Amino acid sequence: MERARSNHDLKPAKEAGLWESIKETVKVGLQALLIAVVVRTLLFQPFNIPSGSLVPTLLIGDYLFVSKYSLGYSKYSLPLSEYLPFEMHGRIWGAAPKRGDIVVFKLPKDNATDYIKRVIGLPGDRIQMINGILNINGKPVKREQIADYSTTDAFGQPTQVPQYVETLPNGVSHRIIERDGDRGLWDNTNVYTVPPGHFFMMGDNRDNSTDSRDLGSVGYVPFENLVGRAEVIFFSIDEGSSAWQIWNWPWTVRWSRLFNPIH
């Protein structure tokens, strides 16, 4: 007859089972972490919009996915790239953005701060603002005025501002706003000639955007500094609301913006 197992016999079995469970949990956790790192580094990276420079296309509180593979890979495709102990130059499988794409890039001034703007000028282009009208290579870009846009002025007060549909030379159309009319700080400029291997970026909120028009703050953006192209809004919450306050989501989430492609 088989002897009944004592508590002393069961204890090692229980400990072995617990240890196997811990190892399996750690293994699954490490696999999930590895997958997340690979996806974030090579495929998609999430970003949130902290400023209104791309209003009305992107709003403060929008969360979006940026595709990295669409533009190839450079040093700045890697997480915490500013801390890498080695130098990397150029791009692997690089594909230049198209005029009108919205892209995330590292600010050339420090190669660390993430900026997001619209590609307006390609290498060799001549860009100029004349009375609020964008000019590319000596030709004014078509814009059509539509209904005013509700936003806030420089003092944070609600206001209605002129809104236009701007159509770039390659046929890409997008909305812009002119908070200060056609006499804003950057509505009349000299001619900018985009250097080889660089791009000229602008915000759709033309009077509330620090972009390539300000050569001291942004200027021309090297191809190497591009991180990826904005693809889709996966979450959006009212400005001033906290995403972690789930109990407020029925009222604060901008449901109509979820999963909207970015143009």
Side-chain angles (χ1 to χ4, degrees):
M1 180 182 295
E2 184 179 354
R3 180 175 61 90
R5 299 178 65 185
S6 67
N7 290 337
H8 179 75
D9 297 324
L10 293 175
K11 188 175 180 180
K14 288 182 178 179
E15 290 178 350
L18 178 60
W19 177 240
E20 288 298 323
S21 178
I22 292 174
K23 287 198 298 182
E24 186 64 25
T25 300
V26 171
K27 178 181 176 182
V28 171
L30 289 175
Q31 289 174 339
L33 179 61
L34 179 61
I35 291 171
V37 169
V38 170
V39 169
R40 187 181 187 278
T41 301
L42 299 179
L43 300 178
F44 293 97
Q45 184 171 344
F47 285 89
N48 74 292
I49 303 300
S51 74
S53 68
L54 276 165
V55 172
T57 306
L58 296 176
L59 308 180
I60 296 175
D62 282 347
Y63 289 75
L64 50 96
F65 283 124
V66 168
S67 65
K68 291 189 170 182
Y69 60 86
S70 59
L71 302 179
Y73 305 96
S74 74
K75 168 183 177 179
Y76 302 107
S77 303
L78 303 175
L80 304 175
S81 58
E82 62 270 27
Y83 300 111
L84 291 178
F86 53 87
E87 288 294 324
M88 292 176 57
H89 299 285
R91 300 190 78 87
I92 300 173
W93 302 313
K98 298 177 182 178
R99 198 190 311 274
D101 284 350
I102 293 180
V103 301
V104 171
F105 60 92
K106 296 293 184 181
L107 185 66
K109 187 167 64 174
D110 62 14
N111 293 325
T113 305
D114 289 321
Y115 263 46
I116 182 168
K117 305 290 179 183
R118 189 181 295 277
V119 177
I120 295 297
L122 306 178
D125 280 346
R126 289 173 289 109
I127 308 295
Q128 186 177 21
M129 298 296 296
I130 302 176
N131 295 327
I133 302 292
L134 171 63
N135 285 251
I136 299 179
N137 296 324
K139 297 181 179 180
V141 169
K142 177 184 175 182
R143 73 174 191 180
E144 177 185 359
Q145 187 162 9
I146 57 177
D148 287 352
Y149 186 81
S150 298
T151 185
T152 54
D153 61 20
F155 304 99
Q157 299 301 311
T159 185
Q160 299 283 317
V161 300
Q163 179 177 205
Y164 303 87
V165 173
E166 184 177 77
T167 303
L168 299 172
N170 61 344
V172 173
S173 294
H174 58 100
R175 292 184 296 156
I176 64 170
I177 59 173
E178 290 279 5
R179 190 186 66 181
D180 302 328
D182 287 334
R183 294 293 185 272
L185 178 62
W186 298 106
D187 280 335
N188 284 281
T189 69
N190 295 323
V191 176
Y192 302 91
T193 300
V194 185
H198 291 68
F199 296 88
F200 195 91
M201 310 293 189
M202 290 177 64
D204 295 343
N205 190 350
R206 292 290 163 79
D207 295 324
N208 188 26
S209 174
T210 302
D211 50 40
S212 291
R213 293 172 292 178
D214 187 345
L215 294 177
S217 297
V218 180
Y220 309 111
V221 178
F223 186 25
E224 184 178 61
N225 283 50
L226 304 189
V227 175
R229 185 178 65 207
E231 300 289 354
V232 65
I233 298 169
F234 69 86
F235 187 71
S236 183
I237 195 164
D238 287 341
E239 182 178 350
S241 300
S242 297
W244 60 268
Q245 294 178 341
I246 299 175
W247 54 89
N248 289 327
W249 280 11
W251 304 276
T252 58
V253 171
R254 295 184 286 228
W255 299 102
S256 62
R257 297 185 64 77
L258 270 58
F259 309 112
N260 284 349
I262 297 170
H263 302 293

